[in-house]
Amino acid sequence: MKEERILLAHGSGGKLSHRLISDIFVPAFKSPLLSPLNDQAIFDSPCSRMAFTTDSYVISPIFFPGGDIGKLSVCGTVNDLAMGGAKPLYLSAAFIIEEGMLISELKDVVSSMARTAEDAGVEIVTGDTKVVERGKGDRIYINTAGVGVIEDGVELTPANIRPGDKVIVSGTMGDHGMAVMARRADMQMEIPVESDCAPLNGLVEAMLASGGEVRAMRDATRGGLATILNEFASSSGTSISIVEDAVPVRESVRGACEILGFDPLYIANEGKLVAVVSSSSADVVLAAMKEHPLGKDAAIIGEVTEGPKGRVLLETPVGNKRVLDMLTGDQLPRIC
Amino acid sequence: MKEERILLAHGSGGKLSHRLISDIFVPAFKSPLLSPLNDQAIFDSPCSRMAFTTDSYVISPIFFPGGDIGKLSVCGTVNDLAMGGAKPLYLSAAFIIEEGMLISELKDVVSSMARTAEDAGVEIVTGDTKVVERGKGDRIYINTAGVGVIEDGVELTPANIRPGDKVIVSGTMGDHGMAVMARRADMQMEIPVESDCAPLNGLVEAMLASGGEVRAMRDATRGGLATILNEFASSSGTSISIVEDAVPVRESVRGACEILGFDPLYIANEGKLVAVVSSSSADVVLAAMKEHPLGKDAAIIGEVTEGPKGRVLLETPVGNKRVLDMLTGDQLPRIC
């Protein structure tokens, strides 16, 4: 039996486009805001500050251990909202599909988006589909944009970071990037590495509810932990020192990194955040994180110091200190 | 002198990504909301209904008579907001760039976005850049999402359409699609066809300010006028009759359509809207449109009738009536 494939006409705006929307997208996303199929979703806006973000997802392969491009496209945007202290409310979903993609694969991706959106408590309310010719894409690229609401009093920004603050990571570093790289390299591993791809808004809510002073948060995606720490140090005009041994890394990830020649501190994560909190709040925030399933391996890994502005220092297990620079070049293309 | 090109590393999240953002995007888009370079833009939300929309732009070629992919990516999303009766406020901009794209071309596209956003009175406040390998994209794809605010009392939806209502188009049909097709076919024309690509929010404001009862509006993009009329008829359970001779079409567009074998009623527009208004309001709305530069060729082209639900009828110049169906197949791939 011949499997159905995406045709250029699915992107025409005509009958096939309408069928794709009504047969695949609307039943999967089930939002009453989506159903009128106008070109825009309309919602009552809360009278407060809102956050707005966007990301495109071009990961290859589109299915990988622990996730797929659909799950990733919801988690990534939910997380970008959550990192600003926002409660994510609504997402858009825009697809650029390569002619010839199997419709069954598209359905798998879309179901995964719908499941993840439900887990994260967000609604996919508006969308778009374009189809490009074979060789002008790579099966599917997804863009999601998101809007969320920020409660009064919440203000998370690297500008708030002060010397003395503590740096916390929510769990093991490098899982997502190494899961994808191991799959690409077709590595057989004793303990397979899985992506950590997950929506972090629940964890962030728990952290904010702890009452601790959280200064800034960011999810450690492209460029990994090292890049985020550099962004924090440079935006706040501080120096950050971290202890290499304090950074949680799975044995399997460490092993895969050694074989493939990567440093886990530069590897992308999709379900981990880096937070800077006031020194006096570190324990209470850490405890709140550890009670959440996505924060059980959370750890304090270092602190903010006066030092040279924008410098990140790594204390190695043998007690040396070296500068941990921002990622240069492209270690892992199309990791998200 | 060797021209700079986009490298995979520009999508890494590391140093080159940061340089691309700080050297090209931030200076062009100049929004104070964009400048903190957090992963999300934060704004005060008005206490009212909001509209949220997204579109990806994959047009080929990226520069065409009357516009480029950057201008298009702002107009298209501004127009989708405006069609819901919203005043567009903020846009996101996400780029999927093919490795090897000339940086000078990227700069041209980005400047065009910035100029168009300024014309339309919207701010580009958040963004994302991904780079894919050669042969996995086509120079540049852009996604924009947008949020806007809807004033109290404004409710535009095809569900409001009633028999007796009049159908108005804001100007000539088919300009955008034929400009792109003529460029692709390398046609030499006496009077060159230019895309009508334009932000319609000002025109919509004028229409709403006229006090006339506007039921629904949509911009006649992919699938053209015929597809929009079918959507209106089927969403409202009415029939729509239009008079072919009443539909404004430029002579040059009509000529290009004849040569290439297209029907202007199915050709995409990027700066034209189709509105359904109450019969008693038709004249006042039309007059308001004609006073706006983007509505000077506006015309009443037909009316809504009881007839069979979802049917669109076209009265031809010789007095025949035929069913005008939704676009089937893909006349013009990658037209937007």
PDB file of all heavy atoms in Angstrom, chain A residues 309-327:
ATOM      1  N   LYS A 309      34.781  41.996  34.585  1.00  0.00           N
ATOM      2  CA  LYS A 309      33.429  41.956  34.026  1.00  0.00           C
ATOM      3  C   LYS A 309      33.317  40.991  32.847  1.00  0.00           C
ATOM      4  O   LYS A 309      34.123  41.065  31.916  1.00  0.00           O
ATOM      5  CB  LYS A 309      33.006  43.347  33.553  1.00  0.00           C
ATOM      6  CG  LYS A 309      32.764  44.274  34.701  1.00  0.00           C
ATOM      7  CD  LYS A 309      32.366  45.676  34.245  1.00  0.00           C
ATOM      8  CE  LYS A 309      32.262  46.550  35.513  1.00  0.00           C
ATOM      9  NZ  LYS A 309      31.843  47.903  35.238  1.00  0.00           N
ATOM     10  N   GLY A 310      32.327  40.128  32.900  1.00  0.00           N
ATOM     11  CA  GLY A 310      32.041  39.259  31.759  1.00  0.00           C
ATOM     12  C   GLY A 310      32.883  37.993  31.714  1.00  0.00           C
ATOM     13  O   GLY A 310      32.749  37.221  30.780  1.00  0.00           O
ATOM     14  N   ARG A 311      33.746  37.777  32.760  1.00  0.00           N
ATOM     15  CA  ARG A 311      34.602  36.600  32.708  1.00  0.00           C
ATOM     16  C   ARG A 311      33.975  35.425  33.456  1.00  0.00           C
ATOM     17  O   ARG A 311      33.437  35.588  34.541  1.00  0.00           O
ATOM     18  CB  ARG A 311      35.970  36.908  33.315  1.00  0.00           C
ATOM     19  CG  ARG A 311      37.007  35.842  32.973  1.00  0.00           C
ATOM     20  CD  ARG A 311      38.308  36.088  33.686  1.00  0.00           C
ATOM     21  NE  ARG A 311      38.119  35.997  35.132  1.00  0.00           N
ATOM     22  CZ  ARG A 311      39.117  36.130  36.000  1.00  0.00           C
ATOM     23  NH1 ARG A 311      40.341  36.397  35.581  1.00  0.00           N
ATOM     24  NH2 ARG A 311      38.879  36.027  37.306  1.00  0.00           N
ATOM     25  N   VAL A 312      34.041  34.224  32.837  1.00  0.00           N
ATOM     26  CA  VAL A 312      33.570  33.016  33.506  1.00  0.00           C
ATOM     27  C   VAL A 312      34.783  32.124  33.768  1.00  0.00           C
ATOM     28  O   VAL A 312      35.565  31.839  32.857  1.00  0.00           O
ATOM     29  CB  VAL A 312      32.531  32.262  32.643  1.00  0.00           C
ATOM     30  CG1 VAL A 312      32.084  30.983  33.343  1.00  0.00           C
ATOM     31  CG2 VAL A 312      31.334  33.158  32.342  1.00  0.00           C
ATOM     32  N   LEU A 313      34.944  31.724  35.037  1.00  0.00           N
ATOM     33  CA  LEU A 313      36.086  30.883  35.427  1.00  0.00           C
ATOM     34  C   LEU A 313      35.601  29.496  35.811  1.00  0.00           C
ATOM     35  O   LEU A 313      34.585  29.349  36.494  1.00  0.00           O
ATOM     36  CB  LEU A 313      36.802  31.483  36.635  1.00  0.00           C
ATOM     37  CG  LEU A 313      37.811  32.592  36.372  1.00  0.00           C
ATOM     38  CD1 LEU A 313      38.474  32.999  37.683  1.00  0.00           C
ATOM     39  CD2 LEU A 313      38.883  32.129  35.364  1.00  0.00           C
ATOM     40  N   LEU A 314      36.364  28.480  35.395  1.00  0.00           N
ATOM     41  CA  LEU A 314      36.035  27.099  35.737  1.00  0.00           C
ATOM     42  C   LEU A 314      37.147  26.555  36.624  1.00  0.00           C
ATOM     43  O   LEU A 314      38.328  26.595  36.250  1.00  0.00           O
ATOM     44  CB  LEU A 314      35.945  26.265  34.459  1.00  0.00           C
ATOM     45  CG  LEU A 314      35.632  24.779  34.646  1.00  0.00           C
ATOM     46  CD1 LEU A 314      34.151  24.587  34.961  1.00  0.00           C
ATOM     47  CD2 LEU A 314      35.998  23.997  33.383  1.00  0.00           C
ATOM     48  N   GLU A 315      36.753  26.037  37.810  1.00  0.00           N
ATOM     49  CA  GLU A 315      37.742  25.405  38.682  1.00  0.00           C
ATOM     50  C   GLU A 315      37.738  23.914  38.368  1.00  0.00           C
ATOM     51  O   GLU A 315      36.715  23.242  38.518  1.00  0.00           O
ATOM     52  CB  GLU A 315      37.382  25.657  40.144  1.00  0.00           C
ATOM     53  CG  GLU A 315      38.491  25.272  41.090  1.00  0.00           C
ATOM     54  CD  GLU A 315      38.093  25.505  42.549  1.00  0.00           C
ATOM     55  OE1 GLU A 315      37.476  26.565  42.848  1.00  0.00           O
ATOM     56  OE2 GLU A 315      38.353  24.612  43.363  1.00  0.00           O
ATOM     57  N   THR A 316      38.868  23.421  37.893  1.00  0.00           N
ATOM     58  CA  THR A 316      38.931  22.017  37.460  1.00  0.00           C
ATOM     59  C   THR A 316      39.141  21.109  38.665  1.00  0.00           C
ATOM     60  O   THR A 316      39.503  21.574  39.751  1.00  0.00           O
ATOM     61  CB  THR A 316      40.086  21.809  36.460  1.00  0.00           C
ATOM     62  OG1 THR A 316      41.313  22.038  37.157  1.00  0.00           O
ATOM     63  CG2 THR A 316      39.973  22.752  35.281  1.00  0.00           C
ATOM     64  N   PRO A 317      38.911  19.795  38.494  1.00  0.00           N
ATOM     65  CA  PRO A 317      39.033  18.856  39.617  1.00  0.00           C
ATOM     66  C   PRO A 317      40.420  18.889  40.268  1.00  0.00           C
ATOM     67  O   PRO A 317      40.539  18.638  41.464  1.00  0.00           O
ATOM     68  CB  PRO A 317      38.766  17.498  38.969  1.00  0.00           C
ATOM     69  CG  PRO A 317      37.913  17.808  37.780  1.00  0.00           C
ATOM     70  CD  PRO A 317      38.380  19.139  37.291  1.00  0.00           C
ATOM     71  N   VAL A 318      41.472  19.233  39.505  1.00  0.00           N
ATOM     72  CA  VAL A 318      42.803  19.299  40.118  1.00  0.00           C
ATOM     73  C   VAL A 318      43.101  20.678  40.725  1.00  0.00           C
ATOM     74  O   VAL A 318      44.212  20.932  41.166  1.00  0.00           O
ATOM     75  CB  VAL A 318      43.918  18.911  39.101  1.00  0.00           C
ATOM     76  CG1 VAL A 318      43.778  17.441  38.713  1.00  0.00           C
ATOM     77  CG2 VAL A 318      43.882  19.798  37.865  1.00  0.00           C
ATOM     78  N   GLY A 319      42.070  21.543  40.738  1.00  0.00           N
ATOM     79  CA  GLY A 319      42.233  22.811  41.444  1.00  0.00           C
ATOM     80  C   GLY A 319      42.718  23.960  40.583  1.00  0.00           C
ATOM     81  O   GLY A 319      42.853  25.087  41.054  1.00  0.00           O
ATOM     82  N   ASN A 320      42.966  23.709  39.275  1.00  0.00           N
ATOM     83  CA  ASN A 320      43.317  24.818  38.388  1.00  0.00           C
ATOM     84  C   ASN A 320      42.085  25.651  38.077  1.00  0.00           C
ATOM     85  O   ASN A 320      40.963  25.162  38.138  1.00  0.00           O
ATOM     86  CB  ASN A 320      43.862  24.287  37.050  1.00  0.00           C
ATOM     87  CG  ASN A 320      45.189  23.586  37.244  1.00  0.00           C
ATOM     88  OD1 ASN A 320      45.932  23.906  38.174  1.00  0.00           O
ATOM     89  ND2 ASN A 320      45.473  22.621  36.378  1.00  0.00           N
ATOM     90  N   LYS A 321      42.326  26.895  37.700  1.00  0.00           N
ATOM     91  CA  LYS A 321      41.217  27.719  37.213  1.00  0.00           C
ATOM     92  C   LYS A 321      41.507  28.110  35.776  1.00  0.00           C
ATOM     93  O   LYS A 321      42.621  28.516  35.458  1.00  0.00           O
ATOM     94  CB  LYS A 321      41.072  28.981  38.068  1.00  0.00           C
ATOM     95  CG  LYS A 321      40.494  28.672  39.426  1.00  0.00           C
ATOM     96  CD  LYS A 321      40.008  29.921  40.133  1.00  0.00           C
ATOM     97  CE  LYS A 321      39.319  29.506  41.435  1.00  0.00           C
ATOM     98  NZ  LYS A 321      38.738  30.649  42.138  1.00  0.00           N
ATOM     99  N   ARG A 322      40.476  27.935  34.909  1.00  0.00           N
ATOM    100  CA  ARG A 322      40.672  28.407  33.544  1.00  0.00           C
ATOM    101  C   ARG A 322      39.441  29.174  33.076  1.00  0.00           C
ATOM    102  O   ARG A 322      38.346  29.003  33.613  1.00  0.00           O
ATOM    103  CB  ARG A 322      40.987  27.244  32.602  1.00  0.00           C
ATOM    104  CG  ARG A 322      39.876  26.248  32.413  1.00  0.00           C
ATOM    105  CD  ARG A 322      40.274  25.215  31.338  1.00  0.00           C
ATOM    106  NE  ARG A 322      39.286  24.159  31.210  1.00  0.00           N
ATOM    107  CZ  ARG A 322      38.226  24.221  30.397  1.00  0.00           C
ATOM    108  NH1 ARG A 322      38.001  25.291  29.667  1.00  0.00           N
ATOM    109  NH2 ARG A 322      37.378  23.211  30.322  1.00  0.00           N
ATOM    110  N   VAL A 323      39.673  30.041  32.092  1.00  0.00           N
ATOM    111  CA  VAL A 323      38.559  30.826  31.563  1.00  0.00           C
ATOM    112  C   VAL A 323      37.669  29.917  30.722  1.00  0.00           C
ATOM    113  O   VAL A 323      38.143  29.124  29.912  1.00  0.00           O
ATOM    114  CB  VAL A 323      39.088  32.004  30.709  1.00  0.00           C
ATOM    115  CG1 VAL A 323      37.944  32.688  29.960  1.00  0.00           C
ATOM    116  CG2 VAL A 323      39.824  33.001  31.591  1.00  0.00           C
ATOM    117  N   LEU A 324      36.374  30.007  30.971  1.00  0.00           N
ATOM    118  CA  LEU A 324      35.392  29.237  30.204  1.00  0.00           C
ATOM    119  C   LEU A 324      34.740  30.221  29.234  1.00  0.00           C
ATOM    120  O   LEU A 324      33.928  31.054  29.625  1.00  0.00           O
ATOM    121  CB  LEU A 324      34.359  28.644  31.164  1.00  0.00           C
ATOM    122  CG  LEU A 324      33.400  27.593  30.623  1.00  0.00           C
ATOM    123  CD1 LEU A 324      34.142  26.313  30.248  1.00  0.00           C
ATOM    124  CD2 LEU A 324      32.331  27.280  31.665  1.00  0.00           C
ATOM    125  N   ASP A 325      35.117  30.118  27.975  1.00  0.00           N
ATOM    126  CA  ASP A 325      34.670  31.102  26.987  1.00  0.00           C
ATOM    127  C   ASP A 325      33.314  30.703  26.406  1.00  0.00           C
ATOM    128  O   ASP A 325      32.840  29.589  26.600  1.00  0.00           O
ATOM    129  CB  ASP A 325      35.721  31.181  25.865  1.00  0.00           C
ATOM    130  CG  ASP A 325      35.677  32.528  25.152  1.00  0.00           C
ATOM    131  OD1 ASP A 325      34.761  33.325  25.423  1.00  0.00           O
ATOM    132  OD2 ASP A 325      36.565  32.762  24.321  1.00  0.00           O
ATOM    133  N   MET A 326      32.708  31.634  25.691  1.00  0.00           N
ATOM    134  CA  MET A 326      31.493  31.338  24.938  1.00  0.00           C
ATOM    135  C   MET A 326      31.848  30.384  23.797  1.00  0.00           C
ATOM    136  O   MET A 326      32.989  30.365  23.337  1.00  0.00           O
ATOM    137  CB  MET A 326      30.958  32.658  24.385  1.00  0.00           C
ATOM    138  CG  MET A 326      29.595  32.577  23.772  1.00  0.00           C
ATOM    139  SD  MET A 326      29.013  34.234  23.306  1.00  0.00           S
ATOM    140  CE  MET A 326      28.250  34.755  24.849  1.00  0.00           C
ATOM    141  N   LEU A 327      30.883  29.602  23.357  1.00  0.00           N
ATOM    142  CA  LEU A 327      31.111  28.702  22.222  1.00  0.00           C
ATOM    143  C   LEU A 327      31.581  29.486  20.994  1.00  0.00           C
ATOM    144  O   LEU A 327      31.013  30.505  20.636  1.00  0.00           O
ATOM    145  CB  LEU A 327      29.803  27.980  21.884  1.00  0.00           C
ATOM    146  CG  LEU A 327      29.795  27.076  20.653  1.00  0.00           C
ATOM    147  CD1 LEU A 327      30.684  25.862  20.871  1.00  0.00           C
ATOM    148  CD2 LEU A 327      28.379  26.620  20.326  1.00  0.00           C
TER     149      LEU A 327
END
